[in-house]
Amino acid sequence: MNVKIQSEIGILKTVIVKRPSLEIENLMPDYADTLLFDEIPYLHKMQEEHDAFVKVLTDRGAEVLYLETLMAEALKTDELKEEFLNRLLRESNHLYGYVSEKVKEYLLKFSAGEMVEKIMGGVRKDDDGLKIPERKSLLAEVAHHYPFYVSPMPNLYFTRDLTACIGCGVVVSKMNKPARRKESLFMKFILDKHDRFAGADIPVWLDRDYPFSIEGGDVLVLSTEAIAIGISERTSAAAIEQLAKNLFAGESGVKRVLAVDIPKERASMHLDTVFTMLDHNKFTIHTDIFDKHGEIDSYIIEHSDCDAAIKIKPLKKLKAALMELLELDEVELIPCAGGDVIAGPREQWSDGSNTLAVAPGVVITYDRNYVTNRIFREDYGIEVLEIPSSELSRGRGGPRCMSLPLYRE
């Protein structure tokens, strides 16, 4: 099987990452906010840190696949290169008519690998070999000062958001923000066209053409029968409901979905920025998502034989919901930085609760979140594998965000 994810903590065997590259160099202050960055990382150091992350993964026995390599391998003929470009440029809504055609002609001159790097990195208007005569149009006038024909995709190193693997199937994300909307097209094309995946009959529980947004960072696979999904800034309740119906109707093995209504703000953009699984009964959580009573609106969704197809059970206590879903007598919710009023929000901002489990009780974290990491080790017996993070963390995502697991034992 190419895809099998039945928990958050099973031994990680295969994972997709994206090494930061030209797309980071093409960030600039005037458009950083539009591209969802608060600041501009230093690429050379960022790559060193990402390489250290990959080394930890491979040292633990994981097969690491690079998104950019898989995409180049999928574009194995000129026909496939043109097919992909047609899809991509159709979704580049600031392009217009003849400009789109000229950009396509320009990109088709490159090898598959060079074309992928150019698309991900951004096609600049002043690129060598790309001379498009200006024609009068309102759209051209409005876009006159924007330096790109195809915008860079600096968030691509957060591969988790592009696709969620559930059981032996996938959700290909409908990305919420315009700056990221084209990103899941890469995974869609890889699943459809790459020799490793094409013809493997991988179920698609929800596809990227669904009208309501859902992103992989909001999806946590708790067990073979239960998943948790964040109702968040990036994932809609409508998409969660439809996904639940599709999972129940398909051969997913999932019987219950826990929807958690987290704050709709950048600091908690996905469920995994405030809540991840460390071990069979241990989770880390940023307690600021709770109200003053220590509660959060949550809903257990199950199959129903009635016309509605689902039944919904509202809950307030997240711990009780997890105990019920996982059939456990006790669950530990470990606060980010121990719940300290200063260290907690500081370390959550640099993804202290965004851990990636490579085995039960063994997690990769950013070294900068030293308070949280110490608590994991000393108070709860978690093995913590730290990676450098001064530049990677500037994109507001952690080790879980930077990984798309395809297969776990």
Side-chain angles (χ1 to χ4, degrees):
M1 289 181 288
N2 285 304
V3 172
K4 189 182 81 169
I5 299 294
Q6 295 177 315
S7 81
E8 288 290 308
I9 59 170
I11 295 173
L12 184 60
K13 304 302 292 184
T14 303
V15 61
I16 296 178
V17 302
K18 164 71 175 77
R19 191 174 191 256
S21 189
L22 179 62
E23 64 277 1
I24 300 298
E25 290 285 77
N26 276 337
L27 276 171
M28 53 188 293
D30 287 353
Y31 302 105
D33 184 60
T34 301
L35 296 173
L36 309 179
F37 270 70
D38 302 304
E39 47 194 322
I40 299 172
Y42 171 37
L43 177 61
H44 178 69
K45 185 67 175 175
M46 196 180 199
Q47 289 176 327
E48 286 183 358
E49 293 171 357
H50 195 272
D51 292 344
F53 172 53
V54 170
K55 185 176 187 304
V56 171
L57 291 169
T58 55
D59 285 350
R60 297 295 305 200
E63 175 192 22
V64 177
L65 307 174
Y66 284 90
L67 180 73
E68 57 272 40
T69 303
L70 290 172
M71 190 61 211
E73 291 168 351
L75 298 172
K76 48 189 177 286
T77 67
D78 290 341
E79 289 75 20
L80 285 171
K81 287 167 66 176
E82 185 164 5
E83 179 183 340
F84 176 73
L85 283 176
N86 286 337
R87 292 194 205 178
L88 178 91
L89 296 173
R90 242 191 337 263
E91 297 188 23
S92 299
N93 55 14
H94 62 277
L95 289 180
Y96 41 95
Y98 76 102
V99 172
S100 182
E101 285 301 312
K102 292 292 185 182
V103 169
K104 185 171 82 170
E105 289 174 14
Y106 167 71
L107 290 170
L108 285 171
K109 296 175 183 177
F110 293 101
S111 68
E114 292 168 333
M115 191 179 94
V116 170
E117 182 180 17
K118 180 68 70 174
I119 291 168
M120 292 179 171
V123 179
R124 293 172 50 153
K125 290 180 177 177
D126 61 357
D127 275 357
D128 289 341
L130 181 60
K131 302 297 181 185
I132 302 179
E134 288 293 331
R135 294 184 187 173
K136 287 292 182 183
S137 77
L138 181 58
L139 190 52
E141 291 293 330
V142 171
H144 175 70
H145 296 292
Y146 191 60
F148 299 99
Y149 285 127
V150 176
S151 297
M153 303 181 197
N155 297 280
L156 265 178
Y157 75 101
F158 300 130
T159 52
R160 174 75 61 159
D161 299 332
L162 312 185
T163 301
C165 298
I166 303 172
C168 296
V170 299
V171 175
V172 183
S173 300
K174 170 65 177 287
M175 310 296 282
N176 178 270
K177 299 294 185 182
R180 301 199 66 182
R181 208 150 284 163
K182 297 191 292 293
E183 291 179 23
S184 61
L185 182 57
F186 293 109
M187 276 306 301
K188 175 67 174 173
F189 207 83
I190 288 166
L191 291 167
D192 287 347
K193 307 296 184 182
H194 193 283
D195 289 342
R196 180 166 176 154
F197 305 99
D201 198 25
I202 298 169
V204 178
W205 307 127
L206 201 65
D207 214 339
R208 69 187 299 273
D209 58 359
Y210 188 70
F212 297 97
S213 65
I214 184 168
E215 298 189 2
D218 277 308
V219 181
L220 278 68
V221 180
L222 303 177
S223 71
T224 56
E225 297 186 353
I227 65 173
I229 310 181
I231 310 168
S232 71
E233 181 192 56
R234 309 285 177 92
T235 292
S236 66
I240 296 171
E241 181 172 327
Q242 187 59 54
L243 174 59
K245 291 176 181 177
N246 294 350
L247 290 170
F248 300 153
E251 297 181 4
S252 69
V254 175
K255 296 181 179 178
R256 292 189 287 183
V257 174
L258 174 64
V260 185
D261 195 2
I262 65 174
K264 313 298 184 287
E265 54 192 33
R266 178 155 172 74
S268 54
M269 67 185 83
H270 294 125
L271 182 61
D272 70 3
T273 62
V274 292
F275 175 75
T276 51
M277 192 171 185
L278 309 174
D279 205 343
H280 297 283
N281 65 339
K282 296 183 178 73
F283 298 81
T284 178
I285 193 160
H286 182 46
T287 53
D288 281 7
I289 68 172
F290 293 138
D291 64 20
K292 62 182 179 181
H293 305 294
E295 298 179 339
I296 185 169
D297 288 333
S298 304
Y299 308 87
I300 292 181
I301 306 170
E302 297 178 282
H303 175 69
S304 172
D305 292 328
C306 70
D307 291 341
I310 58 170
K311 54 185 177 182
I312 300 173
K313 175 183 175 182
L315 296 165
K316 291 285 187 179
K317 298 292 187 183
L318 181 60
K319 183 174 179 177
L322 292 168
M323 290 166 62
E324 179 180 337
L325 285 173
L326 297 173
E327 299 179 352
L328 294 171
D329 294 330
E330 185 56 45
V331 164
E332 298 275 8
L333 294 182
I334 305 170
C336 184
D340 185 88
V341 294
I342 293 176
R346 183 190 73 234
E347 293 204 352
Q348 188 274 330
W349 182 248
S350 53
D351 288 280
S353 287
N354 188 263
T355 65
L356 172 66
V358 294
V362 183
V363 298
I364 301 176
T365 67
Y366 281 159
D367 58 358
R368 66 185 298 152
N369 299 314
Y370 55 88
V371 179
T372 305
N373 294 346
R374 175 179 53 77
I375 291 170
F376 287 165
R377 288 190 183 101
E378 296 179 5
D379 297 347
Y380 295 93
I382 301 297
E383 183 180 349
V384 181
L385 310 173
E386 294 183 349
I387 60 171
S389 56
S390 64
E391 299 302 311
L392 287 174
S393 61
R394 293 179 188 270
R396 305 274 79 83
R400 189 180 192 274
C401 295
M402 295 190 299
S403 58
L404 171 52
L406 295 181
Y407 200 100
R408 288 183 183 271
E409 286 186 356

